[in-house]
Amino acid sequence: QGQLVESGGGLVEPGGSLRLSCEVTGRTLDDYAIGWFRQAPGREREGVSCISRDGGRIDYADSVKGRFAISRDNAKNTVHLQMNNLRPADSGVYYCAAVRSLYIICQDGFPMDYWGKGTRVTVSQ
């Protein structure tokens, strides 16, 4: 049974950086488009960044453009989300999700096949 395992979350000060990783196990990353989503307390889950199956299409939420960068390493079955200049508003639980599709409409509600359990990011002094 395939799984998505997120890592790299933690506590960071405003302006700091974190690199999240999403490892796909039991399946071949090449077959999937991948998205990063986040949910802050009291807020709905939102799409943060998504990358198409071939890496040719990348989308970012307006709030993270210019600060976050998504990448995929199919040889290592891993997708990364580099997060720079973090803000308190970026705090939340970050989930990666996969769908056997060419690309994702990077919004919550797009039907995904698999979800990870999430990794928590806290941006605070």
Side-chain angles (χ1 to χ4, degrees), residues 2 6 19 23 30 45 50 54 56 62 71-72 74 77 80 89 103-104 106 111 114 123 125:
E6 302 97 335
R19 189 189 193 207
E23 182 180 6
D30 303 43
R45 189 167 59 194
C50 299
D54 63 358
D62 288 343
S71 61
R72 61 189 296 152
N74 287 354
N77 260 18
H80 299 289
Y103 67 91
I104 298 167
C106 205
Y114 307 101
V123 185
Q125 293 280 4

Side-chain angles (χ1 to χ4, degrees), residues 3-4 15 26 28 37 39-42 58 76 78 80 88 90 92-93 102 105 110 113-114:
Q3 292 186 46
L4 304 178
T28 303
F37 299 80
Q39 187 164 23
I58 290 175
K76 295 183 178 180
T78 301
H80 299 289
D90 295 318
V93 179
L102 179 59
I105 304 297
F110 188 86
D113 294 329
Y114 307 101

Side-chain angles (χ1 to χ4, degrees), residues 11-86:
L11 173 64
V12 64
E13 292 184 352
S17 297
L18 286 173
R19 189 189 193 207
L20 304 184
S21 297
C22 173
E23 182 180 6
V24 178
T25 63
R27 301 188 184 275
T28 303
L29 180 61
D30 303 43
D31 294 336
Y32 295 90
I34 302 291
W36 283 97
F37 299 80
R38 68 185 180 191
Q39 187 164 23
R43 299 187 65 179
E44 294 188 353
R45 189 167 59 194
E46 62 175 338
V48 176
S49 181
C50 299
I51 187 167
S52 63
R53 191 169 66 196
D54 63 358
R57 173 173 170 163
I58 290 175
D59 295 297
Y60 297 100
D62 288 343
S63 60
V64 307
K65 284 180 181 176
R67 302 187 297 120
F68 289 14
I70 191 171
S71 61
R72 61 189 296 152
D73 184 341
N74 287 354
K76 295 183 178 180
N77 260 18
T78 301
V79 175
H80 299 289
L81 183 67
Q82 178 67 42
M83 307 189 296
N84 299 324
N85 192 19
L86 283 161

